[in-house]
């Protein structure tokens, strides 16, 4: 069981966590990036990535203009985890996501 800091409170990462999808607001526009899935053990892939994000001080202390959606297999958003600019860039380097627009 993993505890994660989301907008406003601490939550337990839901067991149905399947993918991560970064998002950010750029010039007052919401921009989504490609979702990242983790074949084999999706929950552990999400949990590991979020733990590494915590280690690099990449999780913001509240609202931020960038965040990571934790998605269920059907695409529903389970959690929104606010990230710092440093955390967002860390995810971009390690997960190699691109803009959906």
């Amino acid at each position: 069981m993993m505890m994660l800091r989301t907008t406003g409170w601490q939550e337990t990462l839901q067991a149905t966590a399947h993918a991560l999808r970064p998002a950010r607001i750029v010039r007052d526009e919401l921009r989504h990036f490609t979702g990242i899935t983790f074949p084999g053990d999706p929950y552990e892939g999400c949990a590991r990535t979020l733990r590494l994000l915590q280690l690099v001080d990449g999780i913001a202390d509240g609202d931020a203009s960038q965040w990571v959606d934790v998605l269920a297999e059907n695409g529903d958003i389970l959690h929104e985890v606010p990230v710092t600019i440093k955390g967002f860039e860390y995810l971009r380097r390690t997960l190699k996501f691109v803009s959906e627009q």
Side-chain angles (χ1 to χ4, degrees):
M1 175 169 59
M2 178 184 177
M3 293 298 291
L4 53 106
R5 191 174 354 144
T6 60
T7 306
W9 56 81
Q10 292 257 0
E11 296 181 49
T12 302
L13 181 62
Q14 292 189 30
T16 56
H18 184 76
L20 301 176
R21 180 183 63 190
R24 77 182 337 173
I25 296 177
V26 178
R27 292 185 286 283
D28 295 327
E29 266 185 50
L30 175 60
R31 185 173 296 172
H32 283 106
F33 296 84
T34 51
I36 308 301
T37 58
F38 303 93
D41 190 348
Y43 175 86
E44 187 53 40
C46 291
R48 181 180 183 279
T49 301
L50 293 170
R51 281 193 302 271
L52 289 170
L53 193 58
Q54 287 176 329
L55 287 173
V56 298
D57 292 325
I59 298 192
D61 289 329
D63 288 340
S65 61
Q66 57 278 331
W67 62 91
V68 175
D69 292 329
V70 179
L71 304 175
E73 190 169 6
N74 66 1
D76 287 349
I77 298 173
L78 303 173
H79 308 281
E80 288 182 355
V81 181
V83 297
T84 63
I85 294 291
K86 178 181 174 181
F88 193 85
E89 292 306 319
Y90 167 79
L91 289 174
R92 186 188 305 267
R93 280 191 318 274
T94 58
L95 300 179
K96 311 262 192 262
F97 57 81
V98 296
S99 177
E100 289 183 347
Q101 278 89 22

